[in-house]
Amino acid sequence: MSSLSTLCYIEKDGKYLMLHRTVKENDVNKDKWIGVGGHFEKDESPEECLLREVKEETGYTLTSYKFRGLVTFISGNGVTEYMSLFTAHGFEGEQIECDEGELEWVEKDRIESLNIWEGDKIFFRLLSEREDFFSLKLVYDGCDRLVSASLDGKMME
């Protein structure tokens, strides 16, 4: 089974807006810290999905964002997710409570100390080091352990 989704890291004052996923019981991201986003609805483009999901989860309307990469996430449990990865620097509106967990502005240098996916550490590094678009494939073993990663079609160490 495969699905399409967006994932966005909104930046402000050296921080990312992070979502601590604590609400849904059968959630692949349960207790993890991730960005905001979600699954595509019928006929949506990545940008349309991004804008809708950010508004629904945060209350913010994005005014400046960039499509940074495509992350192919292989769960090891028969699920493949193609995530359109964005960063955003401009937004307006008032933050709302999210029905999927708690939203928190987190200093970028603190993010690796949170409960995040191992592969997320790779794309956070890429987001800080690269401006160009990238394709990252992350393969997990079905027990949340990263077993391989490929960047732009080449295996990583």
Side-chain angles (χ1 to χ4, degrees):
M1 180 176 113
S2 64
S3 63
L4 301 171
S5 65
T6 57
L7 182 62
C8 183
Y9 289 95
I10 303 172
E11 300 180 53
K12 179 180 84 169
D13 302 326
K15 300 176 183 177
Y16 280 131
L17 183 60
M18 301 291 291
L19 173 58
H20 188 200
R21 297 285 294 248
T22 57
V23 176
K24 294 180 181 176
E25 282 306 313
N26 295 321
D27 183 357
V28 68
N29 292 305
K30 179 79 170 151
D31 294 325
K32 299 258 193 246
W33 290 81
I34 63 171
V36 295
H39 292 94
F40 283 44
E41 290 184 354
K42 185 176 180 343
D43 299 330
E44 276 187 321
S45 69
E47 294 80 8
E48 289 166 331
C49 180
L50 165 75
L51 294 171
R52 178 184 52 75
E53 285 285 349
V54 167
K55 182 73 172 174
E56 289 175 4
E57 292 183 0
T58 69
Y60 294 135
T61 300
L62 296 182
T63 59
S64 176
Y65 55 88
K66 184 175 181 182
F67 196 171
R68 302 293 302 276
L70 178 66
V71 179
T72 304
F73 176 86
I74 312 293
S75 71
N77 292 321
V79 176
T80 299
E81 188 157 339
Y82 300 96
M83 294 181 287
S84 297
L85 180 63
F86 290 85
T87 53
H89 297 89
F91 58 93
E92 54 191 28
E94 295 296 317
Q95 187 172 310
I96 61 172
E97 284 193 36
C98 181
D99 62 2
E100 296 184 15
E102 294 80 42
L103 292 168
E104 183 178 327
W105 290 98
V106 179
E107 297 281 345
K108 289 181 183 179
D109 61 1
R110 275 194 48 235
I111 289 175
E112 284 202 30
S113 68
L114 301 174
N115 182 22
I116 63 175
W117 290 96
E118 198 62 32
D120 291 11
K121 294 175 183 178
I122 297 170
F123 68 67
F124 278 120
R125 182 172 44 90
L126 294 170
L127 290 174
S128 71
E129 293 175 357
R130 291 176 60 162
E131 285 297 317
D132 60 325
F133 188 87
F134 59 85
S135 175
L136 179 65
K137 181 178 182 182
L138 303 170
V139 180
Y140 287 83
D141 66 357
C143 297
D144 295 354
R145 246 184 349 259
L146 183 66
V147 294
S148 70
S150 301
L151 177 61
D152 297 327
K154 297 179 182 146
M155 288 294 291
M156 298 177 75
E157 294 295 321

